[in-house]
Amino acid sequence: DHPDNVSIQNIGCRRIKYLARSISNKRAVMACGGVPVILSAIEHFSNNEQLQTTKCAFAALCSLTSRNDVNKSEIGKSKLIPSIMKVMANHSDVEFVQEEGCNALLDLTFCPSHLFQLKAMTDEPAGIDAVLRNASRRFPGKCHSVCCVVLEKLNPNENEALDLIRSSDADFDDVLNIMKAFRTAGSVQNVGCVRLEIMTRKDDTDVNDSVVISLVLDAMVEHEGLFSLQALGASILTNLCQKCHSSGGDANIDLILESGAVALVLTSMQRFQKVESVQMEGCILLCHLARISVIGLDIVMEERPKKILKAAGKHFPEKCGMLSEEILQLISHRKVQMNGGKKPLKMKTMMKKPLTILKKKQHVHEKKVI
């Protein structure tokens, strides 16, 4: 209500800084839109005469980062991390901003979720790498040692990533961020898909389905030789289809079909014909798509999966027999429907028919001549 009043902004920011010592108060501040208000104060009072207000406001902003593992979702929703980065980039020559900001970023690296969010920002022009190197160069006495620690923590190895992803504290966002950071590491993608498969079984899990679908399909393409990942990927896609369909929507199904998942799953089934999990999960996904979506059935039909499905049913009759047979029956019924209710002629019959007519005509002609 009083954005131009220096004293109110000063007192308010100091009060928030002290309130933020409590975890419940941190959540309340962020839930009530405290971050944009504090950020507005920083941007509004950035000239030399009002640097004290900027200092109070930035200290209040940074105080929200401590004990951040308990209020991960609030930090994400409030866009606290981009806000701190923005202020540090805009006030690169102000010592207290760089010092407070570096300490806040160090606090954030102790939580896997925030660590990998920060890592994802390293390649940006004004990303964390550029911001920290600037702070270290300009203010070595205050910032150098902290910057070195943060930069080192931003480069975890594959084993550390696996430990983080297996941790019981790792939530959905943690798993996604770790998988994004280690796209080429097959072991990380595989363990990540194990966690996602479990998480997507639950209807009440708050997940960004489109991000999961994209990430899982990328992992399946990147690591086409890992049969366990192929099976897990198909299972995750099935879970998301069922979740969407049970709530009366088709967004996930449309996205999966548009992303070329059918061709990818059939390719995996062809490559791993003797692996039960790949065949079973592939059949379940294809059957689900064919049952609930006409477009899905048409896409499955276009891929000509007959040989692959028959092989799955032959090798694993108990797990895949009924599913593969149902898919083939759905395809057969769809062909009849598209042919105006008539059963379409088989290729061999179509090839023989003109030849038969020609022979009959030739026979009639010979009779007339005689």
Side-chain angles (χ1 to χ4, degrees):
D1 291 342
H2 305 281
D4 300 320
N5 191 310
V6 178
S7 59
I8 288 176
Q9 297 297 314
N10 245 330
I11 294 166
C13 288
R14 283 176 183 166
R15 185 65 181 152
I16 289 172
K17 181 183 175 182
Y18 292 119
L19 282 170
R21 291 175 180 174
S22 158
I23 291 172
S24 59
N25 287 341
K26 287 183 203 293
R27 288 176 175 163
V29 168
M30 287 186 278
C32 293
V35 170
V37 171
I38 298 169
L39 193 62
S40 174
I42 294 168
E43 291 171 349
H44 203 71
F45 301 103
S46 57
N47 57 51
N48 291 331
E49 293 79 24
Q50 295 159 332
L51 274 177
Q52 188 60 37
T53 304
T54 305
K55 187 172 183 178
C56 290
F58 195 59
L61 193 69
C62 292
S63 67
L64 297 170
T65 62
S66 61
R67 300 291 300 279
N68 54 75
D69 56 324
V70 184
N71 52 331
K72 285 188 282 192
S73 59
E74 284 79 5
I75 285 177
K77 290 173 186 173
S78 64
K79 298 183 179 177
L80 178 64
I81 296 173
S83 298
I84 291 172
M85 298 282 291
K86 181 180 178 182
V87 176
M88 290 182 72
N90 291 344
H91 299 274
S92 59
D93 57 343
V94 181
E95 186 181 46
F96 74 80
V97 167
Q98 299 304 309
E99 183 185 4
E100 288 279 356
C102 287
N103 289 326
L105 293 173
L106 179 61
D107 282 341
L108 289 164
T109 62
F110 289 98
C111 169
S113 178
H114 305 317
L115 173 64
F116 284 95
Q117 279 183 51
L118 290 168
K119 184 174 173 61
M121 299 169 73
T122 53
D123 297 330
E124 297 174 16
I128 186 169
D129 195 65
V131 167
L132 288 172
R133 293 191 188 284
N134 171 75
S136 178
R137 186 181 71 253
R138 284 178 179 266
F139 310 105
K142 297 282 187 180
C143 303
H144 179 71
S145 58
V146 177
C147 288
C148 288
V149 174
V150 175
L151 287 169
E152 186 178 345
K153 292 189 75 173
L154 284 173
N155 291 290
N157 59 39
E158 194 172 319
N159 289 331
E160 289 171 329
L162 285 169
D163 289 339
L164 289 169
I165 214 168
R166 286 174 178 143
S167 168
S168 58
D169 295 330
D171 62 12
F172 180 76
D173 289 328
D174 295 338
V175 174
L176 288 185
N177 285 319
I178 294 168
M179 288 180 71
K180 286 176 186 175
F182 288 86
R183 288 181 185 272
T184 57
S187 58
V188 174
Q189 297 299 309
N190 201 51
V191 175
C193 283
V194 171
R195 293 297 305 271
L196 290 177
E197 203 279 328
I198 295 167
M199 291 174 175
T200 53
R201 286 182 209 166
K202 303 173 184 176
D203 292 334
D204 57 343
T205 307
D206 184 20
V207 300
N208 188 333
D209 294 348
S210 61
V211 174
V212 178
I213 292 167
S214 175
L215 202 58
V216 167
L217 290 173
D218 285 348
M220 291 173 74
V221 171
E222 180 73 29
H223 305 282
E224 59 184 12
L226 286 176
F227 67 82
S228 56
L229 192 148
Q230 300 299 319
L232 287 164
S235 180
I236 292 165
L237 296 176
T238 302
N239 292 343
L240 293 174
C241 279
Q242 290 174 337
K243 172 188 170 185
C244 186
H245 187 62
S246 62
S247 62
D250 293 324
N252 289 349
I253 297 163
D254 294 341
L255 185 57
I256 287 167
L257 293 171
E258 290 166 8
S259 303
V262 171
L264 186 59
V265 168
L266 285 168
T267 303
S268 298
M269 290 175 71
Q270 191 170 26
R271 183 179 288 115
F272 301 107
Q273 288 189 12
K274 300 295 179 68
V275 181
E276 185 182 65
S277 58
V278 173
Q279 300 301 315
M280 183 182 71
E281 296 299 345
C283 284
I284 291 171
L285 176 61
L286 295 174
C287 191
H288 192 76
L289 291 171
R291 277 179 191 166
I292 63 177
S293 168
V294 175
I295 297 172
L297 177 55
D298 288 346
I299 291 174
V300 172
M301 185 171 65
E302 284 170 11
E303 295 295 333
R304 297 183 179 178
K306 186 175 180 178
K307 285 185 179 179
I308 297 171
L309 292 171
K310 280 190 172 294
K314 180 183 175 182
H315 291 135
F316 309 103
E318 290 185 8
K319 300 284 187 181
C320 306
M322 290 180 67
L323 289 168
S324 60
E325 193 59 38
E326 183 179 347
I327 298 166
L328 292 171
Q329 283 180 5
L330 287 168
I331 290 172
S332 178
H333 292 157
R334 179 61 176 156
K335 285 180 177 177
V336 171
Q337 187 182 27
M338 292 172 73
N339 201 40
K342 296 178 182 178
K343 191 174 182 180
L345 293 170
K346 292 182 179 179
M347 188 61 70
K348 288 181 180 178
T349 309
M350 289 173 71
M351 289 172 69
K352 286 178 181 177
K353 194 171 181 181
L355 189 61
T356 307
I357 294 167
L358 184 64
K359 282 181 179 177
K360 283 182 179 177
K361 284 182 178 179
Q362 189 177 2
H363 183 64
V364 170
H365 180 68
E366 285 173 356
K367 276 186 175 180
K368 285 181 180 178
V369 170
I370 291 165

